[in-house]
Amino acid sequence: MREINSSAVSDAVEELVIKANKILPSDLVECISCAEKCENNQTAESVLNDLKSNISAARELNIPICQDTGMAVIFAEIGQDAHITGKAFEDAVNIGVSRGYINGLLRKSVVKDPLYNRVNTNDNTPAVIYTRIVAGDKIKLTAAPKGFGSENMSRLKMFTPSAEKDDIVNFVIDTVKSAGSNPCPPIVVGIGIGGDFEYSAFLAKKALCRPVSVRNSTEFYADMETEILEKINCLNIGPQGFGGKTSALAVNIETFPTHIAGLPVAVNIGCHVTRHASKEL
């Protein structure tokens, strides 16, 4: 049994929420650069160049890439042989989020009640926390701040088992088409297939944390990712909605077994600033 003090969790979360909001994953930056070189629409090319300049400026000036620094989403993989001492784990995570958003001068966007009392909590807590117990004695933390311009464009549909691949593809394309320029394209599309109602949405959110350079390990779904990406990029939404062939940068699909009577499918849209950062304790 390995002991890990809760203060280490708080410190790591503070570091990760700041890093994720200021430094975009290198594979996504490279993807935007490649898209710029492939664009034949001058406006789209110019917008992609501006996005790259903004990403560089954020890194150099140590400021957020986007003014919407998101709701903090934390994925935690906790080794079953790790013993957390000190404060309760979720309390430790929220302390880290609070410190990160205050000390990192990040915009606080969380309200204490969703409907009747929408008063800002002033430190961006509580975070949305997903915890999984895994083998080993380490803790892996991933911070994925999620802005709501893109989150609001996400959808979930409970298909019946009679649905075919084309039905799911068309659902995703229709979701992206309806979103238009609202999620600040070029977007990253996370798709969750299987599980139950809420787990399909979890899979879609988790899919956004997979590197955009990595395809699904199952050939069927890897081919489906490629097909959906190609079809999205024929919609002529383009960077920031100004037209062009770069409406999406990547499509990531995650799957899970499901009930014989169901086929849940969730689509979680990420903007061109699909942020995430990880650390292992």
Side-chain angles (χ1 to χ4, degrees):
M1 185 69 69
R2 174 170 171 257
E3 290 194 348
I4 300 174
N5 193 277
S6 62
S7 62
V9 173
S10 297
D11 290 346
V13 170
E14 177 182 4
E15 174 189 333
L16 289 172
V17 295
I18 294 173
K19 179 181 178 181
N21 270 298
K22 294 182 178 181
I23 302 174
L24 203 62
S26 58
D27 62 315
L28 191 53
V29 176
E30 179 62 26
C31 196
I32 294 172
S33 296
C34 289
E36 181 192 6
K37 295 172 186 175
C38 295
E39 266 293 350
N40 49 26
N41 179 307
Q42 286 188 339
T43 301
E45 183 181 359
S46 176
V47 171
L48 289 168
N49 184 262
D50 288 342
L51 297 183
K52 284 172 50 186
S53 298
N54 178 68
I55 292 166
S56 297
R59 180 189 289 267
E60 292 169 11
L61 299 173
N62 193 32
I63 59 175
I65 308 167
C66 176
Q67 52 82 26
D68 184 353
T69 52
M71 187 169 191
V73 178
I74 307 295
F75 294 95
E77 295 181 2
I78 302 176
Q80 63 183 13
D81 294 323
H83 175 217
I84 301 170
T85 61
K87 297 183 181 298
F89 176 73
E90 291 199 358
D91 290 342
V93 169
N94 281 312
I95 288 170
V97 170
S98 176
R99 291 202 321 230
Y101 275 79
I102 292 172
N103 297 336
L105 302 179
L106 306 176
R107 196 183 83 181
K108 295 92 177 167
S109 302
V110 173
V111 293
K112 67 183 296 183
D113 183 87
L115 185 60
Y116 81 92
N117 189 21
R118 292 179 66 90
V119 176
N120 201 298
T121 62
N122 293 320
D123 64 357
N124 225 55
T125 64
V128 175
I129 305 171
Y130 296 105
T131 304
R132 182 168 169 244
I133 305 300
V134 299
D137 62 0
K138 294 180 173 58
I139 298 176
K140 181 181 178 182
L141 298 166
T142 298
K146 193 64 167 68
F148 267 55
S150 57
E151 190 78 351
N152 286 337
M153 298 297 106
S154 303
R155 295 168 69 189
L156 188 154
K157 183 172 181 177
M158 301 299 290
F159 284 91
T160 63
S162 63
E164 298 179 350
K165 185 192 79 168
D166 286 348
D167 296 314
I168 295 173
V169 171
N170 290 337
F171 170 63
V172 177
I173 300 303
D174 182 65
T175 299
V176 175
K177 187 185 297 184
S178 298
S181 64
N182 290 315
C184 292
I187 59 175
V188 178
V189 183
I191 302 171
I193 304 175
D196 58 3
F197 179 85
E198 79 278 2
Y199 201 73
S200 65
F202 164 81
L203 291 170
K205 181 64 63 65
K206 193 77 167 64
L208 292 179
C209 293
R210 191 214 303 166
V212 296
S213 56
V214 177
R215 300 278 52 81
N216 190 288
S217 59
T218 301
E219 184 178 1
F220 176 87
Y221 291 112
D223 290 344
M224 194 170 168
E225 289 172 338
T226 300
E227 178 186 351
I228 293 173
L229 180 62
E230 290 175 350
K231 289 187 174 181
I232 289 174
N233 285 332
C234 287
L235 295 176
N236 196 39
I237 297 170
Q240 301 299 292
F242 289 108
K245 63 181 183 180
T246 315
S247 299
L249 297 168
V251 173
N252 290 352
I253 297 174
E254 294 294 331
T255 66
F256 193 82
T258 192
H259 191 281
I260 191 172
L263 180 52
V265 178
V267 180
N268 196 207
I269 304 293
C271 65
H272 70 279
V273 183
T274 296
R275 300 156 288 189
H276 48 88
S278 299
K279 183 171 185 175
E280 190 173 79
L281 301 177

